[in-house]
Amino acid sequence: LGGVGLGGVGFGGMALLAAAPARAQQSFQAFLDGVRQEARRAGVSQATLNRAFQGLRPNERVLELDRRQAEFTQTWPQYRDARLSPTRIENGRRAFAENRATLEAIERRFRVSPRVIVAIWGLETSYGGFTGNFNVIEALATLAWEGRRAAFFRAELLAALRILDAGHIGFERMRGSHAGAMGQPQFMPTSFERLAVDFDGDGRRDIWDSRPDALASIANYLARSGWREGEIWGFEVALPPGFDTALSGHQNMRPPRDWARLGVRRASGAALPPLENEWAVVIPGLSRGDEQAFLVGQNFLAIRRYNPSNFYATVVGLLSDRVA
């Protein structure tokens, strides 16, 4: 996905490109030759490979952006406030209303809350308004050739070639983020292969230009990640003075009565509501001294599987509360 939690590649590849462009291009072409052979063995047509690799070069901007993810460079209040703007909330309410019938049909099939689908859609691509302008093949090839997660991106590159070969999207339209995340849901290619849905029934899984396919694909992702129908994602809580923050973290699930005994209450000061299952206390900005805390459940964990960041999952939850 667009925010797959990737760390920094650093500037090694950029320095290489700047200092020895001819040698770098030769190395890149050798890399592409290896990918071409592997893709052919996997059944990708020669015509698809010729088209995909025509004139391909490493992209320095991809390497630069790969080391600069907002989850790692912003404080929690900065990250939260930038993404919960009045404009994003108002556009989310409008998107929810305009797509209500489709969202309700998706909910009947996948048993996932429409409001969280809309929130992810809004956070990933501003409700489909901007899906990225990088050539996906070029971005993935750059990261697979130079990046520290070469094996990960090589697998994604091969999946992207299979998607093109299957005709789900045209070459010119296959654009996305600098990390190769695609379409309105910002799926990585392997996620597309596993989880994208043809909800409009036209025979193509078009997460770029078909809203039903894009929104249903988000729902399918969450459903397959353990979404619990009818359960909230979480809510803000107030922690008692002296609360041991070592008890916090999405992995530390406990029955709500345990948290109540420790003095955790709703942000309003009211007692915790009766809840089933186990819940965790998450403090997104803990590492930088921000103490805003949330009690989160299984559906928070499902959102985290979309993007493994507490910043991201919490903002999706908060936005979902506001769009409907």
Side-chain angles (χ1 to χ4, degrees), residues 19 106 119 138 184 213-214 284 286 290 304:
I106 290 169
E138 179 184 78
Q184 297 188 43
D213 288 6
L286 178 61
D290 188 89
R304 261 189 122 264

Side-chain angles (χ1 to χ4, degrees), residues 95-110 112 114 117-118 121 199-200 210-216 219:
F96 190 100
E98 290 174 354
N99 295 278
R100 184 182 292 274
T102 298
L103 289 164
E104 288 174 350
I106 290 169
E107 183 180 23
R108 286 193 295 272
R109 178 165 162 187
F110 294 101
V112 171
I117 297 169
V118 171
W121 186 32
F199 199 74
D200 62 15
S210 166
R211 281 190 179 182
D213 288 6
L215 298 176

